Amino acid sequence: MIGLTVRQMQYFDALAQALHFGRAAKLAGVSQPALSAQIAEMEERLNCLLFERGGKTVRMTDEALALQPRIERILADIRDVETTARRGRPTMEGRFRLGIIPTVAPYLLPHVLPELKKHYPALQLELREAVTASLVEDATSGRLDAFIAALPLDQPAIVTEGLFPDRFFLAVPAGDPAFASPPVPPESPALERLMLLEEGHCLREQALAVCGNVRPVAMASYGATSLTTLLQMVTHGLGVTLVPEMAASAAGVMPDLKIVPFQEPMPQRMICMAWRKNKVRQNECVELARIIRGLNRAVLAA
């Protein structure tokens, strides 16, 4: 009998995600030696190599790649069993794993976290910031209980509930004559200087949709992975970028940068709460959505 443990499968899952022993240990909440020892024991019990170690890099073997979807399903089933056992107990208690996209997290969380701590002190919130595709994958596999992203998601296994609309503004270099007389029409030739986030960020696709009649600057050579990086580039006159309303106040105080509106109707995105279609933690998801909807005016005005 092989006798793999749930802990070993959890550590396998963490290492498969991180492909780095130190980051995987942090993700699993254990020391690196403890994680390494359990992975080594797992390989010994299975009589095969699961991860190739090469200096700082880790690569999954074919055997590990074959095992990964099965282990993910097992862990998801175990989490469902644990959650089902909690039914009948008060909601908003215990561990809750919440994902959130990077263009929302720094602006929403400072308002949401104190509110949750005040009203639900027994809730143990675990946060993961990632792009939408990663959050969808983690939610469908059971690694997340819910996530906050922008519509549309178009995932049949995911339930969504709208939170609030988030209008788009334009961040431009202060004193730029092309934007001396806002509002800006979406077909303005000046938007050909639009700078985008890397592939995979939903804000990139939203920017392309808003400014679909112009040819934006290719961002591959910059490798911008955050809105903060793009805003810094704007202050140095390298171009312009799209700014969600919830980030506009913070961006507006940056030196050498100005926030200008688009022509009405202003483009916008809809922020939503999303979770797996199994109703196991639906009550908590709905309650969390209610709290965020109640806070969004303060968030957007801050």
mmCIF file of all heavy atoms in Angstrom, residues 241-272:
data_model
loop_
_atom_site.group_PDB
_atom_site.id
_atom_site.type_symbol
_atom_site.label_atom_id
_atom_site.label_comp_id
_atom_site.label_asym_id
_atom_site.label_seq_id
_atom_site.Cartn_x
_atom_site.Cartn_y
_atom_site.Cartn_z
ATOM 1 N N THR A 241 -2.300 56.032 -20.234
ATOM 2 C CA THR A 241 -2.851 54.726 -19.876
ATOM 3 C C THR A 241 -4.233 54.865 -19.278
ATOM 4 O O THR A 241 -4.622 55.948 -18.814
ATOM 5 C CB THR A 241 -1.912 53.972 -18.905
ATOM 6 O OG1 THR A 241 -2.276 52.589 -18.891
ATOM 7 C CG2 THR A 241 -2.002 54.516 -17.486
ATOM 8 N N LEU A 242 -4.966 53.778 -19.293
ATOM 9 C CA LEU A 242 -6.311 53.723 -18.736
ATOM 10 C C LEU A 242 -6.240 53.553 -17.223
ATOM 11 O O LEU A 242 -5.415 52.799 -16.717
ATOM 12 C CB LEU A 242 -7.050 52.536 -19.348
ATOM 13 C CG LEU A 242 -8.549 52.669 -19.628
ATOM 14 C CD1 LEU A 242 -8.796 53.752 -20.657
ATOM 15 C CD2 LEU A 242 -9.098 51.337 -20.128
ATOM 16 N N VAL A 243 -7.113 54.257 -16.494
ATOM 17 C CA VAL A 243 -7.137 54.177 -15.033
ATOM 18 C C VAL A 243 -8.558 53.894 -14.565
ATOM 19 O O VAL A 243 -9.477 54.659 -14.887
ATOM 20 C CB VAL A 243 -6.648 55.480 -14.377
ATOM 21 C CG1 VAL A 243 -6.724 55.378 -12.859
ATOM 22 C CG2 VAL A 243 -5.234 55.790 -14.800
ATOM 23 N N PRO A 244 -8.790 52.815 -13.800
ATOM 24 C CA PRO A 244 -10.116 52.589 -13.213
ATOM 25 C C PRO A 244 -10.445 53.687 -12.205
ATOM 26 O O PRO A 244 -9.548 54.256 -11.571
ATOM 27 C CB PRO A 244 -9.975 51.226 -12.517
ATOM 28 C CG PRO A 244 -8.755 50.601 -13.098
ATOM 29 C CD PRO A 244 -7.850 51.721 -13.470
ATOM 30 N N GLU A 245 -11.719 53.980 -12.040
ATOM 31 C CA GLU A 245 -12.141 55.046 -11.142
ATOM 32 C C GLU A 245 -11.644 54.824 -9.717
ATOM 33 O O GLU A 245 -11.279 55.777 -9.022
ATOM 34 C CB GLU A 245 -13.669 55.148 -11.151
ATOM 35 C CG GLU A 245 -14.209 56.315 -10.347
ATOM 36 C CD GLU A 245 -15.706 56.513 -10.532
ATOM 37 O OE1 GLU A 245 -16.347 55.652 -11.178
ATOM 38 O OE2 GLU A 245 -16.226 57.528 -10.043
ATOM 39 N N MET A 246 -11.615 53.580 -9.252
ATOM 40 C CA MET A 246 -11.191 53.329 -7.884
ATOM 41 C C MET A 246 -9.716 53.657 -7.667
ATOM 42 O O MET A 246 -9.289 53.845 -6.535
ATOM 43 C CB MET A 246 -11.483 51.886 -7.466
ATOM 44 C CG MET A 246 -10.771 50.843 -8.284
ATOM 45 S SD MET A 246 -10.860 49.204 -7.482
ATOM 46 C CE MET A 246 -12.591 49.093 -7.087
ATOM 47 N N ALA A 247 -8.937 53.737 -8.760
ATOM 48 C CA ALA A 247 -7.516 54.084 -8.648
ATOM 49 C C ALA A 247 -7.245 55.532 -9.001
ATOM 50 O O ALA A 247 -6.114 56.010 -8.847
ATOM 51 C CB ALA A 247 -6.689 53.184 -9.559
ATOM 52 N N ALA A 248 -8.266 56.250 -9.461
ATOM 53 C CA ALA A 248 -8.050 57.595 -9.991
ATOM 54 C C ALA A 248 -7.585 58.587 -8.931
ATOM 55 O O ALA A 248 -6.721 59.431 -9.189
ATOM 56 C CB ALA A 248 -9.319 58.105 -10.670
ATOM 57 N N SER A 249 -8.146 58.505 -7.715
ATOM 58 C CA SER A 249 -7.767 59.459 -6.667
ATOM 59 C C SER A 249 -6.299 59.310 -6.291
ATOM 60 O O SER A 249 -5.571 60.297 -6.162
ATOM 61 C CB SER A 249 -8.642 59.265 -5.426
ATOM 62 O OG SER A 249 -9.986 59.571 -5.705
ATOM 63 N N ALA A 250 -5.848 58.065 -6.121
ATOM 64 C CA ALA A 250 -4.446 57.835 -5.770
ATOM 65 C C ALA A 250 -3.529 58.255 -6.911
ATOM 66 O O ALA A 250 -2.454 58.828 -6.685
ATOM 67 C CB ALA A 250 -4.235 56.358 -5.440
ATOM 68 N N ALA A 251 -3.958 57.992 -8.160
ATOM 69 C CA ALA A 251 -3.130 58.366 -9.304
ATOM 70 C C ALA A 251 -3.066 59.881 -9.473
ATOM 71 O O ALA A 251 -2.034 60.430 -9.877
ATOM 72 C CB ALA A 251 -3.681 57.720 -10.571
ATOM 73 N N GLY A 252 -4.160 60.565 -9.122
ATOM 74 C CA GLY A 252 -4.237 62.010 -9.335
ATOM 75 C C GLY A 252 -3.267 62.828 -8.509
ATOM 76 O O GLY A 252 -2.988 63.980 -8.855
ATOM 77 N N VAL A 253 -2.752 62.265 -7.421
ATOM 78 C CA VAL A 253 -1.816 63.022 -6.587
ATOM 79 C C VAL A 253 -0.366 62.807 -7.017
ATOM 80 O O VAL A 253 0.542 63.415 -6.453
ATOM 81 C CB VAL A 253 -1.967 62.632 -5.094
ATOM 82 C CG1 VAL A 253 -3.376 62.926 -4.618
ATOM 83 C CG2 VAL A 253 -1.620 61.159 -4.865
ATOM 84 N N MET A 254 -0.137 61.955 -8.016
ATOM 85 C CA MET A 254 1.222 61.737 -8.498
ATOM 86 C C MET A 254 1.708 62.974 -9.244
ATOM 87 O O MET A 254 0.947 63.588 -10.008
ATOM 88 C CB MET A 254 1.281 60.509 -9.403
ATOM 89 C CG MET A 254 0.934 59.203 -8.708
ATOM 90 S SD MET A 254 0.963 57.764 -9.833
ATOM 91 C CE MET A 254 2.705 57.702 -10.258
ATOM 92 N N PRO A 255 2.962 63.380 -9.038
ATOM 93 C CA PRO A 255 3.468 64.565 -9.740
ATOM 94 C C PRO A 255 3.574 64.327 -11.243
ATOM 95 O O PRO A 255 3.807 63.194 -11.689
ATOM 96 C CB PRO A 255 4.856 64.765 -9.119
ATOM 97 C CG PRO A 255 5.243 63.424 -8.590
ATOM 98 C CD PRO A 255 3.967 62.770 -8.158
ATOM 99 N N ASP A 256 3.375 65.393 -12.008
ATOM 100 C CA ASP A 256 3.515 65.354 -13.468
ATOM 101 C C ASP A 256 2.511 64.433 -14.145
ATOM 102 O O ASP A 256 2.762 63.903 -15.233
ATOM 103 C CB ASP A 256 4.939 64.937 -13.871
ATOM 104 C CG ASP A 256 6.000 65.855 -13.281
ATOM 105 O OD1 ASP A 256 5.782 67.078 -13.298
ATOM 106 O OD2 ASP A 256 7.021 65.340 -12.787
ATOM 107 N N LEU A 257 1.367 64.214 -13.487
ATOM 108 C CA LEU A 257 0.343 63.334 -14.051
ATOM 109 C C LEU A 257 -1.026 63.971 -13.846
ATOM 110 O O LEU A 257 -1.287 64.596 -12.813
ATOM 111 C CB LEU A 257 0.418 61.956 -13.396
ATOM 112 C CG LEU A 257 -0.524 60.869 -13.920
ATOM 113 C CD1 LEU A 257 0.168 59.513 -13.885
ATOM 114 C CD2 LEU A 257 -1.801 60.800 -13.102
ATOM 115 N N LYS A 258 -1.896 63.812 -14.837
ATOM 116 C CA LYS A 258 -3.256 64.377 -14.765
ATOM 117 C C LYS A 258 -4.262 63.299 -15.151
ATOM 118 O O LYS A 258 -3.998 62.487 -16.050
ATOM 119 C CB LYS A 258 -3.373 65.576 -15.708
ATOM 120 C CG LYS A 258 -4.749 66.240 -15.697
ATOM 121 C CD LYS A 258 -4.754 67.553 -16.468
ATOM 122 C CE LYS A 258 -4.612 67.336 -17.948
ATOM 123 N NZ LYS A 258 -4.810 68.591 -18.734
ATOM 124 N N ILE A 259 -5.393 63.282 -14.455
ATOM 125 C CA ILE A 259 -6.478 62.353 -14.752
ATOM 126 C C ILE A 259 -7.570 63.109 -15.506
ATOM 127 O O ILE A 259 -8.065 64.129 -15.017
ATOM 128 C CB ILE A 259 -7.062 61.737 -13.464
ATOM 129 C CG1 ILE A 259 -5.962 61.055 -12.650
ATOM 130 C CG2 ILE A 259 -8.171 60.743 -13.810
ATOM 131 C CD1 ILE A 259 -5.281 59.895 -13.337
ATOM 132 N N VAL A 260 -7.926 62.613 -16.697
ATOM 133 C CA VAL A 260 -8.949 63.287 -17.504
ATOM 134 C C VAL A 260 -10.061 62.287 -17.832
ATOM 135 O O VAL A 260 -9.815 61.084 -17.966
ATOM 136 C CB VAL A 260 -8.353 63.875 -18.802
ATOM 137 C CG1 VAL A 260 -7.332 64.953 -18.482
ATOM 138 C CG2 VAL A 260 -7.716 62.797 -19.655
ATOM 139 N N PRO A 261 -11.295 62.771 -17.984
ATOM 140 C CA PRO A 261 -12.419 61.870 -18.290
ATOM 141 C C PRO A 261 -12.563 61.619 -19.781
ATOM 142 O O PRO A 261 -12.104 62.395 -20.621
ATOM 143 C CB PRO A 261 -13.622 62.652 -17.754
ATOM 144 C CG PRO A 261 -13.224 64.088 -17.947
ATOM 145 C CD PRO A 261 -11.745 64.149 -17.716
ATOM 146 N N PHE A 262 -13.248 60.521 -20.106
ATOM 147 C CA PHE A 262 -13.678 60.259 -21.469
ATOM 148 C C PHE A 262 -15.014 60.962 -21.709
ATOM 149 O O PHE A 262 -15.707 61.363 -20.777
ATOM 150 C CB PHE A 262 -13.857 58.753 -21.697
ATOM 151 C CG PHE A 262 -12.570 58.004 -21.888
ATOM 152 C CD1 PHE A 262 -11.962 57.371 -20.807
ATOM 153 C CD2 PHE A 262 -11.988 57.909 -23.138
ATOM 154 C CE1 PHE A 262 -10.776 56.664 -20.977
ATOM 155 C CE2 PHE A 262 -10.806 57.200 -23.319
ATOM 156 C CZ PHE A 262 -10.197 56.587 -22.244
ATOM 157 N N GLN A 263 -15.364 61.072 -22.975
ATOM 158 C CA GLN A 263 -16.680 61.579 -23.322
ATOM 159 C C GLN A 263 -17.762 60.641 -22.789
ATOM 160 O O GLN A 263 -17.564 59.445 -22.679
ATOM 161 C CB GLN A 263 -16.832 61.703 -24.842
ATOM 162 C CG GLN A 263 -16.238 62.955 -25.444
ATOM 163 C CD GLN A 263 -16.521 63.057 -26.939
ATOM 164 O OE1 GLN A 263 -16.999 62.092 -27.560
ATOM 165 N NE2 GLN A 263 -16.221 64.193 -27.525
ATOM 166 N N GLU A 264 -18.931 61.218 -22.470
ATOM 167 C CA GLU A 264 -20.083 60.402 -22.098
ATOM 168 C C GLU A 264 -20.637 59.683 -23.328
ATOM 169 O O GLU A 264 -20.601 60.230 -24.436
ATOM 170 C CB GLU A 264 -21.173 61.276 -21.473
ATOM 171 C CG GLU A 264 -20.785 61.909 -20.139
ATOM 172 C CD GLU A 264 -20.765 60.900 -18.998
ATOM 173 O OE1 GLU A 264 -21.142 59.727 -19.238
ATOM 174 O OE2 GLU A 264 -20.366 61.283 -17.896
ATOM 175 N N PRO A 265 -21.141 58.468 -23.177
ATOM 176 C CA PRO A 265 -21.139 57.691 -21.937
ATOM 177 C C PRO A 265 -19.735 57.153 -21.638
ATOM 178 O O PRO A 265 -19.114 56.550 -22.515
ATOM 179 C CB PRO A 265 -22.119 56.553 -22.225
ATOM 180 C CG PRO A 265 -22.043 56.370 -23.713
ATOM 181 C CD PRO A 265 -21.781 57.733 -24.293
ATOM 182 N N MET A 266 -19.274 57.404 -20.423
ATOM 183 C CA MET A 266 -17.934 56.989 -20.065
ATOM 184 C C MET A 266 -17.828 55.458 -20.050
ATOM 185 O O MET A 266 -18.732 54.787 -19.548
ATOM 186 C CB MET A 266 -17.549 57.556 -18.702
ATOM 187 C CG MET A 266 -17.314 59.060 -18.706
ATOM 188 S SD MET A 266 -16.813 59.685 -17.088
ATOM 189 C CE MET A 266 -15.217 58.866 -16.869
ATOM 190 N N PRO A 267 -16.758 54.916 -20.595
ATOM 191 C CA PRO A 267 -16.595 53.450 -20.545
ATOM 192 C C PRO A 267 -16.415 52.979 -19.113
ATOM 193 O O PRO A 267 -15.933 53.732 -18.254
ATOM 194 C CB PRO A 267 -15.323 53.214 -21.371
ATOM 195 C CG PRO A 267 -14.575 54.510 -21.301
ATOM 196 C CD PRO A 267 -15.617 55.585 -21.231
ATOM 197 N N GLN A 268 -16.800 51.766 -18.842
ATOM 198 C CA GLN A 268 -16.689 51.225 -17.487
ATOM 199 C C GLN A 268 -16.569 49.717 -17.528
ATOM 200 O O GLN A 268 -16.815 49.079 -18.553
ATOM 201 C CB GLN A 268 -17.901 51.619 -16.643
ATOM 202 C CG GLN A 268 -19.214 51.013 -17.132
ATOM 203 C CD GLN A 268 -20.395 51.422 -16.274
ATOM 204 O OE1 GLN A 268 -20.430 52.497 -15.696
ATOM 205 N NE2 GLN A 268 -21.381 50.553 -16.178
ATOM 206 N N ARG A 269 -16.160 49.147 -16.401
ATOM 207 C CA ARG A 269 -16.151 47.709 -16.208
ATOM 208 C C ARG A 269 -17.043 47.399 -15.014
ATOM 209 O O ARG A 269 -17.276 48.263 -14.162
ATOM 210 C CB ARG A 269 -14.733 47.184 -15.962
ATOM 211 C CG ARG A 269 -14.068 47.757 -14.722
ATOM 212 C CD ARG A 269 -12.665 47.218 -14.520
ATOM 213 N NE ARG A 269 -12.039 47.783 -13.317
ATOM 214 C CZ ARG A 269 -10.860 47.386 -12.836
ATOM 215 N NH1 ARG A 269 -10.180 46.430 -13.461
ATOM 216 N NH2 ARG A 269 -10.356 47.945 -11.758
ATOM 217 N N MET A 270 -17.546 46.189 -14.939
ATOM 218 C CA MET A 270 -18.352 45.766 -13.794
ATOM 219 C C MET A 270 -17.524 44.816 -12.939
ATOM 220 O O MET A 270 -17.072 43.789 -13.419
ATOM 221 C CB MET A 270 -19.640 45.083 -14.246
ATOM 222 C CG MET A 270 -20.469 44.496 -13.110
ATOM 223 S SD MET A 270 -21.006 45.709 -11.857
ATOM 224 C CE MET A 270 -22.289 46.565 -12.778
ATOM 225 N N ILE A 271 -17.319 45.177 -11.684
ATOM 226 C CA ILE A 271 -16.597 44.331 -10.746
ATOM 227 C C ILE A 271 -17.579 43.333 -10.146
ATOM 228 O O ILE A 271 -18.712 43.693 -9.803
ATOM 229 C CB ILE A 271 -15.930 45.168 -9.636
ATOM 230 C CG1 ILE A 271 -15.046 46.250 -10.252
ATOM 231 C CG2 ILE A 271 -15.132 44.274 -8.695
ATOM 232 C CD1 ILE A 271 -13.934 45.726 -11.131
ATOM 233 N N CYS A 272 -17.154 42.082 -10.031
ATOM 234 C CA CYS A 272 -18.068 41.045 -9.550
ATOM 235 C C CYS A 272 -17.396 40.159 -8.508
ATOM 236 O O CYS A 272 -16.168 40.098 -8.396
ATOM 237 C CB CYS A 272 -18.568 40.187 -10.715
ATOM 238 S SG CYS A 272 -17.323 39.023 -11.348
#
